[in-house]
Amino acid sequence: MLKEEFGYVEINTGEVVAQLLGIPPVPKTPRHEFQEKAWKFISTDSGPERLARRLVEIARDHNEPRILIDGLRQRATLDRLKNMAGDRRIGIIFVHTPSDQAYSFYASRIAQGASMSDFLATRSAQVEGEVESLISSADAVLYNWTGRPQYRETIKTLMAELGTSEVPGT
């Protein structure tokens, strides 16, 4: 919705990590394998810095006023990204989805379906360990459990409060 209705350009952190690792992103690289490699990368002293630097470079290359960086999972990367952003305004939105709904989303993205144990293994991978704690860094928290129409209305209200108008012509 942020892309379609408010003109944000998305940078997918998973795809950027894949580029830095020199491997295909999920699903071409199996998720568990990707998560293990991503954890090894981000756990190094230089990992968060390298990821943040690359995200900033991509954002600057886009040269757009509205950038959405999706999928940050570690506070160290977020902190470095904030420091590197310079005078660019940054807002952190945490989307909180209950486990049953998150499982439903996860299973719908997997062509052959996914078991609950697959989902739980994905959520409990080391690279995912800090995700829930990032809620404390958020400027806004969106609770994704009231249904699509209410969720869309909440985003529109948030954007209006931020003074962000919709993309002209939409």
Side-chain angles (χ1 to χ4, degrees), residues 13 39 42-44 47-49 51-52 55 71-84 92 94 126-139:
T13 302
W39 177 246
I42 208 67
S43 297
T44 66
E49 180 88 14
L51 176 55
L55 291 168
L72 281 177
R73 286 169 160 64
Q74 286 77 33
R75 186 173 309 280
T77 306
L78 177 58
D79 291 343
R80 283 167 180 81
L81 182 65
K82 286 179 176 179
N83 288 336
M84 291 179 191
I92 310 299
F94 186 94
Q126 284 183 299
V127 75
E128 305 291 333
E130 290 183 51
V131 171
E132 292 296 320
S133 71
L134 293 177
I135 197 169
S136 65
S137 299
D139 299 304

Side-chain angles (χ1 to χ4, degrees), residues 107-169:
S108 71
R109 289 192 305 259
I110 308 296
Q112 71 276 17
S115 71
M116 180 58 80
S117 62
D118 292 337
F119 171 71
L120 293 174
T122 296
R123 294 266 303 230
S124 63
Q126 284 183 299
V127 75
E128 305 291 333
E130 290 183 51
V131 171
E132 292 296 320
S133 71
L134 293 177
I135 197 169
S136 65
S137 299
D139 299 304
V141 179
L142 297 177
Y143 293 93
N144 189 11
W145 55 53
T146 56
R148 187 173 292 273
Q150 182 63 39
Y151 187 68
R152 293 179 67 78
E153 225 18 72
T154 301
I155 292 173
K156 285 183 177 185
T157 300
L158 173 64
M159 292 292 120
E161 288 180 17
L162 293 172
T164 305
S165 61
E166 293 186 47
V167 175

